[in-house]
Amino acid sequence: LVSGLIEIIGRASEYLKQAQVEVSCPATIPIHIILTMCDTGKTKINESFPPWVYKRFIKEKLFVQERYFHKLPAAQSRDKVCVIPDGKVWRKYLKLFNLIAEKYSSSLDFTLLESAVELMDWRNSFPSVQTSDSSGNRIIPEATSVQEKNQLRKLIESKKVAPFCDLSHREEDCDEFDLLDYPSLPIIERSKAALLRAGRLLSSKSEVLLLVQSEDLDEISEDEATKTMKLMNIENFLLYLFQKDIVSNDALNEVEAIKVRCEDNYDQQHRSQAADKTKATEYLSDEEIKQGLLEGSLAKGRLNVTIENAKEGFVSTPSGRYFVNQREGHFNRALHQDSVVIKLLPETQWGVPVGKRRITHDSDVEDEVEECGPNVPSAIVVAIANQSRRDYVATLVDIPTSDERSVMVVPMDARIPKIRVQFKNWRDYQNQRLLVEINNWETDSNYPNGHCKKILGPVGDLETEITCLLLEHEIQFTPFSVAASASLPPEGNLWRVPAEEITARRDLRTKRIFSVDPIGCQDIDDTMHIETLRNGDIEVGVHIADVTYFVRHNSELDKEAQTRATTFYLVDRRFDMLPTLLSSDLCSLHGNTDRLAVSVIWTMSSDFEKVKSTWFGRTVIHNCQAMTYEQAHNILHDIPPDDHHSAQPPPLTAGYTVNRDSISALKKDLSMLRSLARKLKKRREELGGAIDLSSGDLGNELKFTLDTDGNPTKVAAKKDMEIHHTIAELMILANSAVAEKIYEKYPDSSLLRAHRSVEEDKFEDLENSLKAAGIIFDGTSNLSLAQTLKNAREKDKGNTIVNALWKSLATRAMSEALYLNTGQIQSEADLSHYGLGINKYTHFTSPIRRFADVVVHKQLLAALQDGGMKTAINPPPGFKSKLVTPAIPKSSAISIMKGEGLKRKNDEGLSESSVLPISPKRLPKLREEQEEKKETSSNLFPYKSLEVSQICDNLNTQNRRAKHSSMACQKLFLSLFFKNNVEIAKAVVTDLRVNGLIVFVPKFDMKGYVYVRDINGDVQIDPSAVGLDVTSGLDPTLGFAACENYRRFPDGKVTLVDDNVDNSEWSLQISLPAASRKLEFRILDVITVQISCDMKETKARIPAPRLYMLSSTVHTHREATNTKEGIEHANSTSSANLEEGIKIKSVLSNSMYQQLAALPISAILPLETTFSRRKKVDFESTVGGRKVFADFVNPDTRSSQLEAAVVSAAESAAKRRTMATQAQGKNSEFSTSQA
């Protein structure tokens, strides 16, 4: 340290001597000035510039302290005009000067005075700007302009601005600086005097223009001006440039526009700063909070920021729901989902939420909000009880103009404010998604401070966006550990059911057992059978994969599966709860394969009215046919189950060709199951009040067709067939039976799934839409709600669009079903399932993808073991193999984390299972440790009550994340689809706003906004909708230009008629001058919309699809008496008007983009948003099924070469089919056609 300081002082002395400064008292020079001036190798100081240019900036203010140079600027050309703005003008019009200096440097020379810098620094620190706010007129310190210090430095270093140390310069003769004692003058007066002095000093070289604010013109004597020195304001300066032919008439318009923008930004900045100074408050102390909670003046709750408006939030407390208005600063540095303490405001200070009246525009400019409507109880945050902070995905949107270190990043979640982050070089982070953590939030700051933890990838890249989606939902996956992988069977895909295990179980391989799943399904959890017994009774069985045989209680694999809790399904991939060897192979109940199961078997009367007995236990089964829903549906309707022109699905997946000899027997079984399911469903609806929220062909589950790059090329709602409900009813029956069984045995620690009743105020949107149709709403119970929806269906029997809306609204209003520990409930009534209409319910039928089912399996088997059945949770003898393998067990299943059925050319480095590599020396010891744990585990009930509660909390959290991430991924792929496709579809109006409509599009299960008024208040619609010529009005703005016939009408009028409190009677009226009619919209009106998505708007987040109302397709709810016909018309519109669709696409590609490209506009944010892959990968189709997309590697499948896996799986499946065929010939009891 000492030697370093000696070197610094020595180098500083040398520098000061070169600068002709006496080094008589170096101790008086601030050390930070010495460090700044010394060339340490990191910064090369250009000695032609004065040192104060390079001095430190404190809190983004120009800091001027020491002055060393005493020279005039270099001689300037007489042909150029010297422009000297004062400090106030520099700050206000810096962006304008930047433009002028860039374009007109051949005619103008700008000079930055040291006295101007000093004034700017002083105005930063002392009240100097007058503003008005709610508390009256106030004087506050002046704010710096955007990137001020770096813009000035850049201008100086590019030699577009010359610095002049006027406060340090002395004339050899008498200098007025000393005669008038400038140092003793107040800074404001010294700045004015120094400006005139600098003008006189430089006017001998060229003509000088002194620029000051208009209000300062009168304070400076005009007598001071000379022929070569003119004093003027900014307006006269621009006029001077035009008169001198320095700028043309067209260029003058651009310059004036920049001037106005500078003024607006300056005013807005100080309005915000003034507001911030009054809004930020310190948090209350713990004593004050405690006292306020006792008195009732304070309350606790969670802040929920609204999606509709990020400046509005609500806090629900036991005493009520309170509105928190960030426009008044009431968030007080709290973020979305923070647990906060709020102070209840008096009624005179209540606010008006505008999110329910206005659609927020996607703009950085805040809308001028008209606060009309009823005031609601309001509050202000006075403390944060518990911060709900996480890492945020953010993007550098506002590109700095120079080497700025402190920049603002915009979070992907629109409810989170911008975050200030320090970068060494912001260019390294441009056009990248960033993972940002918030550090703190100072009281006097408008934004929190944070730091960047990681660069996630380029904006617009599909893999990056998927990664961001997962992180935004707090989902992170890591490979299975070495210890967990040691729990897998060492035989890998060569594992077979041990003979001793068949002896210990009930052998059901002679039964005609089959499965019905989605096409391409690998994780087949459930199979079923049904047969008529000799006495006329009917035996029905549901057989579920015995996952607990492979996942031993309290093993490392069990612990990791518990942490994951569920399989996460996205559009193009899934993240498994269990390793692929288990989830897609050994546990999965594949066709023509012996597998282990846990079964529920009922003996029923022939009319299904009575259940005579129920049996639970471990079994061995043989799935004779792994069908898809389409195959089962075709069999029931006497349609050939298979399309022989299509390629076979990959091995070990659902959908392999149905054996022709089995079709008649399978039809009989499926028909009997259908009859049973109909009775079960009717019984639940009539007795339990089950609510049918299925949506038919307009369901809310979308199916995407993807190309080899993973981009969607087709999207459609998954077709809803009766076979779906048939299988679902069987699973509900099994789940409820198991729930009764485990609750009977363990009433204080069973894991059940409950769905609590829904508060009626949650159904506000549904109630309003039903009232608009003249239907009385009753949501007091599930039975009454089911009857309300039934009445609605009967009244509008053919109105499938509106019916889909009501089911969607009812579904969204439903509270989430939750897993719970029965030991924590107060009465059995709390165990009921509101939606299904069942007293007790659990999850038993999907243990491959849900850990809740694994727990329930253990509880069921423990209950049976207590009853004397041989269903031990401990490993059977056949599992204790001492076979040592030097590698991870192999699986014949093809991973479909991104799909299967394609082999990739030049595939290298992929592994089949996503586990960390194991040393061959370490593996035997790990297996012995796992075996010891299995031996010591209890045969009795494996979970205590507290453990069940902890498991339930994690299950509920992970399931919520899985659900929300799946929905978000569906929205992402919808945007990607509409990037290259324009669709026309029917939409129903669900709500009205002062600037547009909120609509629901059943075809794509999407809620969207139809804007009729832009951010400036101009009406933008198709003029033919109101009887005007299509050429009427002005050209639309960029956001509306995607629709061919849209025009802009500044004098248009939009009126929301909301006199009635009940918004079911509201209407939105649109009128244009000279129009022959006006448009009027009400809730439940059906309109036709054009849907597209402009990815060029991609910045902080992927934009949502944009909806545009087409002119001739507005139908009121009264007119849409037969909406089935309307649906057919909508579908025919999409196909019959194919030319029109192509024409629209042509407009998008030619008219809009080519015309915009021709405009002389320089991009402010040059983002790459083509959603191209990082690496182009060739694919070759081998069999049908899902596709493998590029470089994606699932955390639980670090795969071997995919082509080798396909070959291995095909060989393994072929051997099994051969063995099954041979056995079928030897023993007729395996025949699937046997009655």
Side-chain angles (χ1 to χ4, degrees):
L1 177 62
V2 172
S3 62
L5 287 175
I6 293 174
E7 181 181 358
I8 289 173
I9 294 173
R11 297 178 67 180
S13 300
E14 293 178 4
Y15 184 89
L16 295 173
K17 289 178 180 178
Q18 292 175 4
Q20 299 177 356
V21 177
E22 294 182 3
V23 197
S24 57
C25 50
T28 61
I29 303 177
I31 186 65
H32 70 268
I33 298 298
I34 297 177
L35 294 175
T36 304
M37 294 187 302
C38 291
D39 181 9
T40 60
K42 294 183 179 179
T43 304
K44 180 67 176 176
I45 296 183
N46 188 336
E47 296 185 3
S48 64
F49 299 141
W52 58 265
V53 172
Y54 294 99
K55 289 184 183 174
R56 294 167 61 96
F57 291 87
I58 307 301
K59 292 185 179 180
E60 299 186 3
K61 302 169 188 176
L62 291 168
F63 187 93
V64 179
Q65 185 167 332
E66 304 288 342
R67 305 168 185 92
Y68 304 105
F69 278 69
H70 305 271
K71 299 178 182 178
L72 284 173
Q76 300 173 353
S77 171
R78 280 286 182 180
D79 297 332
K80 289 187 177 183
V81 177
C82 179
V83 182
I84 311 177
D86 76 346
K88 292 192 286 185
V89 176
W90 265 117
R91 172 158 289 159
K92 191 170 186 177
Y93 298 102
L94 180 56
K95 187 173 183 179
L96 174 65
F97 295 148
N98 207 333
L99 173 70
I100 295 176
E102 180 74 30
K103 290 190 173 184
Y104 308 106
S105 57
S106 60
S107 303
L108 302 172
D109 273 324
F110 282 88
T111 299
L112 175 62
L113 301 180
E114 188 177 8
S115 58
V117 174
E118 181 188 51
L119 177 66
M120 295 164 74
D121 176 56
W122 179 84
R123 289 172 66 86
N124 279 148
S125 306
F126 296 93
S128 52
V129 179
Q130 182 170 332
T131 62
S132 300
D133 54 36
S134 57
S135 61
N137 295 330
R138 303 172 61 247
I139 299 179
I140 63 173
E142 187 177 48
T144 59
S145 57
V146 178
Q147 304 291 323
E148 179 179 281
K149 60 178 182 177
N150 287 321
Q151 287 194 65
L152 287 173
R153 181 178 295 174
K154 184 177 179 181
L155 286 171
I156 293 172
E157 292 179 345
S158 62
K159 299 185 178 180
K160 294 182 174 63
V161 171
F164 176 30
C165 306
D166 60 313
L167 297 183
S168 303
H169 176 79
R170 298 292 184 276
E171 290 289 286
E172 294 182 359
D173 300 329
C174 294
D175 193 312
E176 65 181 77
F177 187 94
D178 298 314
L179 292 176
L180 299 179
D181 195 13
Y182 275 34
S184 66
L185 293 176
I187 288 183
I188 297 178
E189 298 301 324
R190 181 163 66 233
S191 175
K192 294 176 182 178
L195 177 68
L196 292 171
R197 172 175 174 265
R200 284 191 289 269
L201 291 174
L202 299 178
S203 61
S204 60
K205 300 181 179 182
S206 62
E207 183 179 4
V208 173
L209 304 181
L210 304 180
L211 304 185
V212 297
Q213 298 275 46
S214 298
E215 60 269 19
D216 294 332
L217 283 174
D218 297 334
E219 298 181 14
I220 300 177
S221 173
E222 294 184 5
D223 296 338
E224 300 287 347
T226 65
K227 292 183 179 180
T228 57
M229 184 176 69
K230 297 180 180 179
L231 191 67
M232 59 182 63
N233 58 19
I234 195 69
E235 288 80 8
N236 292 335
F237 172 61
L238 298 184
L239 181 60
Y240 172 89
L241 297 181
F242 175 68
Q243 293 174 344
K244 295 292 185 179
D245 293 328
I246 297 176
V247 298
S248 63
N249 188 32
D250 293 338
L252 181 62
N253 294 331
E254 178 187 1
V255 171
E256 288 181 337
I258 298 294
K259 165 188 165 292
V260 173
R261 190 181 304 174
C262 290
E263 293 169 346
D264 291 343
N265 291 342
Y266 183 86
D267 294 339
Q268 176 64 32
Q269 195 171 9
H270 288 90
R271 281 198 301 269
S272 300
Q273 185 181 8
D276 294 340
K277 293 297 182 183
T278 60
K279 292 175 185 176
T281 59
E282 294 289 349
Y283 294 140
L284 299 183
S285 65
D286 292 342
E287 279 298 322
E288 291 172 317
I289 293 173
K290 184 178 180 180
Q291 185 66 27
L293 292 174
L294 289 175
E295 296 174 352
S297 60
L298 303 181
K300 275 187 177 182
R302 188 175 298 278
L303 175 64
N304 286 295
V305 181
T306 64
I307 293 292
E308 294 85 2
N309 193 314
K311 292 187 177 296
E312 297 181 349
F314 289 88
V315 176
S316 295
T317 70
S319 60
R321 188 167 180 257
Y322 296 92
F323 171 57
V324 184
N325 187 3
Q326 176 58 11
R327 288 188 298 276
E328 297 297 329
H330 292 170
F331 284 7
N332 197 12
R333 294 168 289 149
L335 296 181
H336 174 60
Q337 289 296 300
D338 279 353
S339 179
V340 298
V341 178
I342 55 174
K343 177 183 177 182
L344 312 185
L345 297 176
E347 188 171 354
T348 55
Q349 297 181 28
W350 286 2
V352 181
V354 300
K356 288 291 185 181
R357 295 185 52 83
R358 184 181 198 84
I359 305 172
T360 303
H361 284 272
D362 296 329
S363 171
D364 292 334
V365 182
E366 183 179 350
D367 291 356
E368 289 295 330
V369 179
E370 40 203 80
E371 293 195 357
C372 51
N375 293 340
V376 298
S378 303
I380 181 174
V381 174
V382 293
I384 298 179
N386 184 25
Q387 292 183 343
S388 178
R389 303 296 163 84
R390 58 178 176 85
D391 294 340
Y392 299 99
V393 176
T395 310
L396 179 59
V397 173
D398 300 321
I399 304 300
T401 57
S402 58
D403 297 328
E404 176 65 38
R405 291 179 62 89
S406 178
V407 299
M408 306 297 294
V409 295
V410 182
M412 182 172 284
D413 188 342
R415 296 167 295 186
I416 305 300
K418 294 179 181 179
I419 303 171
R420 181 180 288 107
V421 178
Q422 296 283 339
F423 291 129
K424 290 184 178 179
N425 183 6
W426 60 262
R427 291 176 180 82
D428 295 338
Y429 302 86
Q430 186 178 359
N431 300 336
Q432 300 287 328
R433 297 284 189 223
L434 312 173
L435 189 63
V436 175
E437 180 182 357
I438 291 179
N439 300 333
N440 57 62
W441 196 337
E442 299 173 355
T443 307
D444 60 349
S445 176
N446 207 26
Y447 302 102
N449 299 314
H451 67 276
C452 178
K453 298 178 66 175
K454 185 180 181 181
I455 297 178
L456 301 174
V459 172
D461 177 76
L462 182 57
E463 292 302 320
T464 299
E465 299 300 337
I466 292 291
T467 301
C468 295
L469 183 149
L470 295 173
L471 290 172
E472 276 295 292
H473 291 87
E474 300 180 76
I475 302 171
Q476 296 189 28
F477 296 101
T478 56
F480 286 98
S481 68
V482 172
S485 64
S487 302
L488 300 174
E491 300 89 347
N493 61 357
L494 299 178
W495 179 89
R496 298 292 181 268
V497 178
E500 58 268 28
E501 193 64 28
I502 297 176
T503 304
R505 294 170 178 257
R506 183 172 175 177
D507 192 347
L508 301 179
R509 289 178 294 170
T510 59
K511 302 286 186 182
R512 189 168 51 247
I513 295 175
F514 55 88
S515 60
V516 183
D517 292 280
I519 187 170
C521 177
Q522 280 188 311
D523 51 346
I524 301 176
D525 292 278
D526 54 90
T527 57
M528 61 224 64
H529 85 275
I530 187 168
E531 65 179 5
T532 304
L533 303 178
R534 292 180 180 179
N535 63 358
D537 291 341
I538 297 177
E539 181 181 276
V540 180
V542 171
H543 316 283
I544 308 302
D546 190 359
V547 173
T548 58
Y549 176 86
F550 299 96
V551 182
R552 300 301 160 186
H553 179 61
N554 210 31
S555 66
E556 293 302 319
L557 181 57
D558 182 58
K559 293 176 183 177
E560 293 192 25
Q562 178 179 329
T563 301
R564 296 189 178 212
T566 185
T567 293
F568 288 75
Y569 291 91
L570 303 183
V571 170
D572 65 338
R573 67 198 70 187
R574 77 172 189 242
F575 297 90
D576 281 338
M577 184 185 76
L578 298 173
T580 302
L581 176 64
L582 298 183
S583 62
S584 298
D585 196 349
L586 302 188
C587 290
S588 185
L589 308 180
H590 292 303
N592 294 319
T593 308
D594 292 350
R595 284 290 184 255
L596 302 179
V598 178
S599 302
V600 183
I601 301 175
W602 300 270
T603 301
M604 301 181 178
S605 60
S606 58
D607 58 358
F608 300 117
E609 291 296 331
K610 183 180 180 181
V611 176
K612 296 185 177 182
S613 66
T614 306
W615 182 89
F616 305 88
R618 275 180 153 163
T619 57
V620 181
I621 68 167
H622 183 90
N623 185 356
C624 72
Q625 190 67 60
M627 292 181 287
T628 64
Y629 285 109
E630 289 75 11
Q631 287 175 323
H633 174 81
N634 291 343
I635 290 173
L636 279 170
H637 294 83
D638 296 322
I639 302 172
D642 301 297
D643 181 3
H644 296 287
H645 299 289
S646 300
Q648 289 289 339
L652 303 183
T653 60
Y656 202 79
T657 303
V658 177
N659 188 341
R660 293 184 179 181
D661 297 335
S662 306
I663 292 178
S664 60
L666 289 172
K667 179 181 179 181
K668 177 184 176 182
D669 292 350
L670 289 169
S671 299
M672 293 174 66
L673 289 176
R674 180 175 60 183
S675 300
L676 170 61
R678 288 173 177 175
K679 289 202 171 188
L680 293 173
K681 184 178 180 181
K682 183 178 180 181
R683 189 179 305 157
R684 285 193 304 109
E685 290 177 345
E686 293 179 351
L687 300 180
I691 303 169
D692 180 16
L693 296 178
S694 58
S695 302
D697 292 346
L698 301 173
N700 59 4
E701 192 174 359
L702 299 179
K703 181 179 180 181
F704 291 84
T705 302
L706 309 179
D707 61 19
T708 54
D709 287 331
N711 295 312
T713 58
K714 184 179 179 182
V715 59
K718 291 187 178 179
K719 190 175 182 181
D720 186 63
M721 299 176 290
E722 188 178 12
I723 186 63
H724 289 105
H725 302 278
T726 299
I727 304 303
E729 287 297 331
L730 286 176
M731 299 305 110
I732 293 172
L733 180 64
N735 287 333
S736 59
V738 172
E740 294 283 355
K741 182 67 177 179
I742 63 175
Y743 181 73
E744 176 187 352
K745 187 66 180 178
Y746 305 111
D748 296 329
S749 54
S750 295
L751 189 153
L752 299 188
R753 187 164 176 83
H755 187 200
R756 303 183 188 276
S757 58
V758 185
E759 298 176 4
E760 283 198 74
D761 59 356
K762 301 288 186 182
F763 291 110
E764 180 183 356
D765 293 338
L766 175 62
E767 183 177 3
N768 289 331
S769 65
L770 289 170
K771 284 183 179 179
I775 298 170
I776 299 175
F777 174 80
D778 184 2
T780 54
S781 68
N782 57 348
L783 193 62
S784 59
L785 176 60
Q787 186 60 44
T788 298
L789 294 175
K790 183 177 179 181
N791 295 339
R793 286 196 301 269
E794 291 176 352
K795 180 169 184 178
D796 289 309
K797 198 168 186 179
N799 199 336
T800 53
I801 286 185
V802 176
N803 273 315
L805 166 66
W806 288 332
K807 289 182 177 180
S808 175
L809 293 176
T811 302
R812 296 172 196 271
M814 288 286 185
S815 58
E816 289 183 342
L818 299 174
Y819 296 107
L820 54 79
N821 173 16
T822 55
Q824 293 184 321
I825 55 98
Q826 301 192 357
S827 67
E828 283 198 33
D830 295 331
L831 298 177
S832 63
H833 198 290
Y834 178 88
L836 295 177
I838 296 176
N839 292 331
K840 295 180 185 67
Y841 189 72
T842 191
H843 274 166
F844 162 76
T845 55
S846 297
I848 294 178
R849 61 185 178 89
R850 292 188 305 227
F851 191 77
D853 303 59
V854 176
V855 174
V856 170
H857 275 234
K858 293 178 183 179
Q859 293 184 335
L860 175 63
L861 296 176
L864 297 177
Q865 182 174 290
D866 281 354
M869 295 189 63
K870 291 184 178 181
T871 55
I873 298 176
N874 281 342
F879 196 79
K880 297 182 181 179
S881 172
K882 296 299 180 180
L883 174 65
V884 177
T885 57
I888 299 301
K890 293 175 60 179
S891 168
S892 295
I894 306 166
S895 173
I896 57 168
M897 300 306 149
K898 305 183 317 170
E900 80 290 293
L902 297 180
K903 62 182 180 181
R904 186 165 62 188
K905 298 178 181 178
N906 302 323
D907 189 2
E908 297 179 357
L910 299 177
S911 65
E912 181 59 28
S913 63
S914 128
V915 289
L916 295 173
I918 304 176
S919 169
K921 296 181 180 179
R922 173 68 175 149
L923 187 61
K925 186 175 180 180
L926 285 171
R927 292 200 185 284
E928 290 177 5
E929 293 173 355
Q930 292 298 319
E931 292 296 338
E932 290 176 3
K933 289 184 179 180
K934 295 171 190 174
E935 294 293 343
T936 57
S937 62
S938 172
N939 287 343
L940 300 178
F941 183 58
Y943 294 109
K944 297 179 181 179
S945 181
L946 179 60
E947 289 179 299
V948 175
S949 298
Q950 293 171 341
I951 290 172
C952 288
D953 289 341
N954 182 58
L955 291 174
N956 292 327
T957 299
Q958 291 294 83
N959 282 342
R960 191 176 300 113
R961 289 172 178 172
K963 175 185 174 182
H964 292 168
S965 62
S966 178
M967 294 171 58
C969 189
Q970 182 169 294
K971 292 179 180 178
L972 169 64
F973 274 76
L974 271 178
S975 293
L976 297 181
F977 172 75
F978 288 119
K979 178 188 74 167
N980 298 319
N981 298 273
V982 177
E983 290 281 335
I984 297 174
K986 287 286 184 180
V988 56
V989 178
T990 64
D991 216 338
L992 308 173
R993 297 291 186 265
V994 295
N995 59 337
L997 312 170
I998 299 179
V999 301
F1000 174 69
V1001 185
K1003 183 178 179 181
F1004 300 106
D1005 187 52
M1006 61 179 291
K1007 175 183 174 182
Y1009 303 126
V1010 178
Y1011 292 92
V1012 297
R1013 197 169 68 178
D1014 63 22
I1015 195 170
N1016 298 316
D1018 298 347
V1019 175
Q1020 301 208 40
I1021 60 171
D1022 184 346
S1024 61
V1026 290
L1028 293 178
D1029 186 81
V1030 293
T1031 59
S1032 303
L1034 306 175
D1035 291 335
T1037 55
L1038 181 61
F1040 294 84
C1043 193
E1044 181 182 12
N1045 295 326
Y1046 261 47
R1047 305 290 291 173
R1048 181 163 56 94
F1049 299 91
D1051 50 357
K1053 186 177 181 182
V1054 179
T1055 306
L1056 179 61
V1057 181
D1058 56 351
D1059 297 334
N1060 298 317
V1061 177
D1062 183 1
N1063 67 356
S1064 63
E1065 297 296 325
W1066 288 7
S1067 67
L1068 186 72
Q1069 299 175 357
I1070 305 173
S1071 59
L1072 302 178
S1076 59
R1077 60 179 182 273
K1078 65 179 180 181
L1079 289 176
E1080 184 173 13
F1081 299 94
R1082 296 180 182 274
I1083 294 177
L1084 294 188
D1085 284 353
V1086 177
I1087 65 174
T1088 301
V1089 294
Q1090 172 190 309
I1091 313 172
S1092 61
C1093 186
D1094 184 8
M1095 286 297 174
K1096 292 186 181 298
E1097 299 177 4
T1098 301
K1099 293 182 181 178
R1101 58 195 68 89
I1102 302 298
R1106 188 72 181 266
L1107 278 60
Y1108 304 90
M1109 180 177 58
L1110 300 184
S1111 61
S1112 58
T1113 54
V1114 180
H1115 308 284
T1116 67
H1117 177 251
R1118 302 170 188 81
E1119 293 172 345
T1121 54
N1122 187 356
T1123 321
K1124 182 177 181 181
E1125 191 177 306
I1127 280 282
E1128 294 172 355
H1129 172 71
N1131 295 334
S1132 64
T1133 302
S1134 299
S1135 52
N1137 291 348
L1138 184 58
E1139 288 186 16
E1140 182 179 349
I1142 294 174
K1143 183 178 180 182
I1144 292 172
K1145 292 182 183 180
S1146 175
V1147 170
L1148 283 173
S1149 59
N1150 296 330
S1151 176
M1152 186 173 83
Y1153 296 126
Q1154 289 187 2
Q1155 290 182 21
L1156 288 177
L1159 294 176
I1161 300 176
S1162 58
I1164 298 177
L1165 187 63
L1167 292 180
E1168 292 288 340
T1169 56
T1170 58
F1171 280 88
S1172 59
R1173 305 293 294 192
R1174 280 179 254 181
K1175 179 181 177 182
K1176 181 66 176 177
V1177 184
D1178 295 327
F1179 292 84
E1180 179 181 335
S1181 180
T1182 57
V1183 287
R1186 298 192 204 172
K1187 301 185 183 303
V1188 179
F1189 306 116
D1191 299 328
F1192 174 76
V1193 177
N1194 195 298
D1196 56 7
T1197 52
R1198 290 172 46 137
S1199 141
S1200 61
Q1201 291 194 1
L1202 196 57
E1203 184 175 356
V1206 174
V1207 174
S1208 174
E1211 291 175 352
S1212 177
K1215 289 179 182 179
R1216 293 175 187 174
R1217 294 191 188 94
T1218 302
M1219 294 172 60
T1221 304
Q1222 292 173 350
Q1224 196 172 23
K1226 294 179 180 179
N1227 192 343
S1228 61
E1229 67 183 5
F1230 286 94
S1231 174
T1232 56
S1233 61
Q1234 180 179 326

